[in-house]
Amino acid sequence: MAGAVAPEVRAAQRRIVGTVNASGRMNADGLAMWREVDCGEWKATASELSADLDLLQVPHTVVTAFRFPLATAYSKAMRKGEEVRILREDLGHLVPWMPSLEQVIADIREDAPHWDFTVFQPRAEGMVVARMALSAEWPAWSKKQARAARLVCAECDYDLRDQDEGRAPFDVRLPAQPGRRRLVCGKCCNNGIDEMERLAALAARPS
């Protein structure tokens, strides 16, 4: 960053540093900054953050990501947003503009969470691995917030974010609501085998 820096680039630096300090989330995959859809009246949008990162020449992507519904909200649907993500291997491009980030990157634990929340979906043709589009801060949500996001077992209320191989999350839907995701732990659904067999039997029936 030798030499003079253009005023618009310096302004972008101030905005990005402020946003990272206020709402950045670091994990094993990199850095993420979430913005709710239509938040522009109150804070910089994901597209505005992206434009600032372009000025700073920091590689990044913008993805759709959801957060738990607010307890005071009339609708209990997940809140749709966009998340600006910088891969861990690309964070070196941001360090010259935010030197304090270097130590934060060095302090990331080897067992730190990742961006994706993985679930298993039993289907007639076999088991499918799916990834829920959640905001990167999902590991830090409280149990109440995780329940609102339906990340606890619908049968026993086990917190599916816990890394227990015997209680992995399976998307086992009610026959009356086939379009609604319903997560249960492996212990409560026989690791999805019963549902997979049920769906296979339905698919084999003549119409």
Side-chain angles (χ1 to χ4, degrees):
M1 237 177 20
V5 176
E8 62 271 20
V9 175
R10 189 65 74 190
Q13 177 190 12
R14 288 194 294 269
R15 288 191 293 266
I16 288 296
V17 170
T19 301
V20 171
N21 286 331
S23 58
R25 176 65 61 177
M26 187 81 73
N27 63 20
D29 290 325
L31 173 68
M33 296 170 281
W34 187 81
R35 285 293 184 265
E36 192 159 6
V37 171
D38 299 326
C39 71
E41 182 179 354
W42 309 104
K43 57 180 69 174
T45 64
S47 61
E48 289 169 338
L49 293 176
S50 178
D52 283 343
L53 289 171
D54 283 339
L55 277 175
L56 301 179
Q57 298 183 3
V58 178
H60 63 281
T61 58
V62 179
V63 301
T64 298
F66 292 83
R67 291 189 71 194
F68 56 85
L70 295 175
T72 55
Y74 175 77
S75 170
K76 296 307 176 184
M78 294 284 283
R79 289 182 289 154
K80 184 178 181 179
E82 291 182 312
E83 194 158 73
V84 181
R85 293 179 174 180
I86 305 171
L87 290 171
R88 186 172 178 176
E89 55 263 36
D90 290 328
L91 284 172
H93 295 274
L94 185 57
V95 169
W97 305 103
M98 189 177 180
S100 61
L101 201 61
E102 188 168 18
Q103 187 59 51
V104 177
I105 298 169
D107 289 341
I108 298 175
R109 305 189 325 269
E110 289 301 320
D111 61 344
H114 294 266
W115 285 330
D116 291 332
F117 183 80
T118 302
V119 303
F120 297 94
Q121 293 181 330
R123 296 184 181 176
E125 62 273 18
M127 197 70 70
V128 174
V129 177
R131 290 172 176 81
M132 294 177 63
L134 298 177
S135 138
E137 64 178 6
W138 62 264
W141 292 344
S142 69
K143 178 73 176 287
K144 184 177 181 180
Q145 291 166 339
R147 188 179 294 113
R150 296 187 288 279
L151 299 184
V152 300
C153 178
E155 297 287 345
C156 70
D157 204 44
Y158 173 78
D159 193 332
L160 295 166
R161 295 173 300 169
D162 292 344
Q163 301 298 312
D164 187 329
E165 292 183 2
R167 306 187 77 163
F170 290 83
D171 185 5
V172 180
R173 307 188 180 194
L174 296 174
Q177 296 178 308
R180 180 180 174 84
R181 177 180 284 117
R182 178 177 176 270
L183 299 187
V184 295
C185 71
K187 185 176 180 179
C188 288
C189 71
N190 190 25
N191 290 322
I193 296 172
D194 295 343
E195 177 65 4
M196 197 161 50
E197 291 177 347
R198 184 187 75 83
L199 293 172
L202 284 175
R205 290 180 188 173
S207 56

